[in-house]
Amino acid sequence: MGDILTVHNLNKSFGSKHVLHDVDFTVGEGRIVGLIGPNGAGKSTIMKTILGLINYESGEIQVAGQTVTPSSHEALANVGALIEYPGLYPYLTGWDHLDLFANGDHQLIHIQRIISKLNMDDFIKRLARGYSVGMKQKLGVAMALVNEPSLVILDEPMNGLDPQSIKDLRDLIIEESQKGTSFLISSHILSELEKLAQDVLIIDKGKIVSATTMHQLLVSQGRNTIFLQTSDDPKARDLLKAASFELDDGPQVRIIDRADDTLASALKTLINAGLDVNDMQREEGSLESSLLDLLAKDRVAD
């Protein structure tokens, strides 16, 4: 399978402020890619530039091999998007919106499927002016998917959604990706993005600082930890530090798990010193902790 989206050496400025610096990445066919980073890092600017909503100084954007610019965007005919908040007509129903944007009657079965998957049946025939934030968000996602696009770009799609609605959206995105649709998703709800994204792009200060898979990111940042309760935790911490184990800050015995033999070596060190190990738990790292660690390391390197 090839790449549906290619962004190469993209640069963008607003006045004298250079906001995108040689941004370079690809999105594979049928892949779910998370675009994450701090506020103001350039996530929304990248998405708007891909969609031809704003121009760029240099670089290249291609969707399915076709170049995209604000004056040449034929390739976007097969791209769906939700950027920030959906633009809705207050005196049209949700169904009217989907019917308006659908390419022909053959989409009716697909439209009904999206409505059911996102649990929109109860309000889809009501006027959009009475919709809650969550209802509007669901309709915006549905509009992005209505024509079965090859690529879908979603900026904060989980805004205003309750836990069940977030799960419904997650399940729908995964199902669509398995059918071949690619997704580029930006979200501050990292715990949900961790369950969803296969690949991760991390951006900071307008630069892509990491482009990897979700699995590789979590493993490479080494944020899995081993939590131990011993007969003398302060002594255990001193012993482990002296033996060059890496520990989290704080009074508890929490070891950074960076190798296959970390647990066995730590237990041997403590037992040989005459300490009892009363309890042990493995704690897997999270996307949030991995992101913060990577950004911290990148900024130190700068």
Side-chain angles (χ1 to χ4, degrees):
M1 298 179 74
D3 295 324
I4 187 67
L5 172 66
T6 300
V7 177
H8 182 60
N9 289 343
L10 187 66
N11 286 274
K12 171 63 183 173
S13 297
F14 291 109
S16 61
K17 185 176 181 181
H18 197 175
V19 294
L20 297 181
H21 304 264
D22 294 322
V23 171
D24 203 295
F25 67 89
T26 60
V27 173
E29 295 177 0
R31 300 293 287 182
I32 303 172
V33 180
L35 177 62
I36 59 177
N39 289 336
K43 302 184 294 296
S44 293
T45 301
I46 287 175
M47 290 180 158
K48 290 177 181 177
T49 305
I50 293 170
L51 293 169
L53 299 175
I54 56 178
N55 211 339
Y56 52 94
E57 278 71 57
S58 63
E60 187 176 28
I61 299 170
Q62 289 192 337
V63 175
Q66 293 182 276
T67 299
V68 177
T69 69
S71 60
S72 176
H73 43 71
E74 290 81 3
L76 298 177
N78 205 23
V79 176
L82 172 61
I83 302 297
E84 297 171 348
Y85 297 99
L88 303 179
Y89 299 100
Y91 292 98
L92 291 182
T93 68
W95 179 272
D96 290 336
H97 281 84
L98 297 176
D99 190 40
L100 178 65
F101 285 94
N103 292 332
D105 293 339
H106 69 285
Q107 295 287 6
L108 291 178
I109 294 175
H110 178 62
I111 291 173
Q112 187 56 58
R113 174 177 162 272
I114 294 173
I115 290 169
S116 298
K117 288 286 185 179
L118 293 177
N119 282 313
M120 301 169 64
D121 300 87
D122 290 343
F123 62 85
I124 197 64
K125 296 294 181 70
R126 288 159 49 187
L127 297 180
R129 65 175 182 174
Y131 280 15
S132 67
V133 173
M135 291 175 184
K136 292 177 181 177
Q137 200 72 359
K138 287 184 180 183
L139 181 56
V141 171
M143 290 164 62
L145 294 171
V146 69
N147 288 315
E148 301 181 87
S150 299
L151 171 65
V152 179
I153 297 176
L154 301 174
D155 188 10
E156 301 294 344
M158 300 166 191
N159 277 350
L161 300 185
D162 59 40
Q164 182 60 54
S165 296
I166 290 175
K167 182 182 183 303
D168 293 339
L169 175 58
R170 183 172 71 241
D171 291 345
L172 178 59
I173 289 173
I174 291 172
E175 188 174 317
E176 292 298 307
S177 75
Q178 291 171 345
K179 292 162 57 179
T181 303
S182 303
F183 288 85
L184 178 63
I185 304 173
S186 173
S187 176
H188 284 100
I189 308 178
L190 298 184
S191 59
E192 287 300 326
L193 204 57
E194 184 176 348
K195 301 172 188 175
L196 187 62
Q198 299 159 304
D199 303 317
V200 183
L201 302 168
I202 298 178
I203 184 169
D204 188 30
K205 299 178 181 177
K207 299 178 181 179
I208 299 292
V209 298
S210 179
T212 184
T213 66
M214 181 67 74
H215 175 73
Q216 289 172 337
L217 174 63
L218 296 177
V219 171
S220 67
Q221 291 306 304
R223 291 309 302 172
N224 290 347
T225 59
I226 300 168
F227 171 63
L228 300 176
Q229 286 185 329
T230 72
S231 55
D232 189 339
D233 284 354
K235 183 177 179 181
R237 286 183 58 83
D238 290 341
L239 287 167
L240 292 169
K241 285 183 177 180
S244 299
F245 287 91
E246 185 179 354
L247 276 69
D248 272 356
D249 295 333
Q252 297 177 320
V253 183
R254 186 169 275 106
I255 309 166
I256 306 300
D257 186 8
R258 297 195 186 276
D260 293 338
D261 63 347
T262 298
L263 175 59
S265 298
L267 292 176
K268 183 177 180 181
T269 298
L270 298 177
I271 292 170
N272 286 346
L275 294 182
D276 296 326
V277 178
N278 301 322
D279 193 17
M280 185 278 293
Q281 297 177 28
R282 285 189 180 274
E283 300 174 342
E284 293 187 358
S286 67
L287 177 57
E288 178 182 43
S289 60
S290 297
L291 171 64
L292 294 174
D293 279 358
L294 192 149
L295 291 177
K297 291 175 183 177
D298 182 68
R299 290 169 182 177
V300 168
D302 287 343

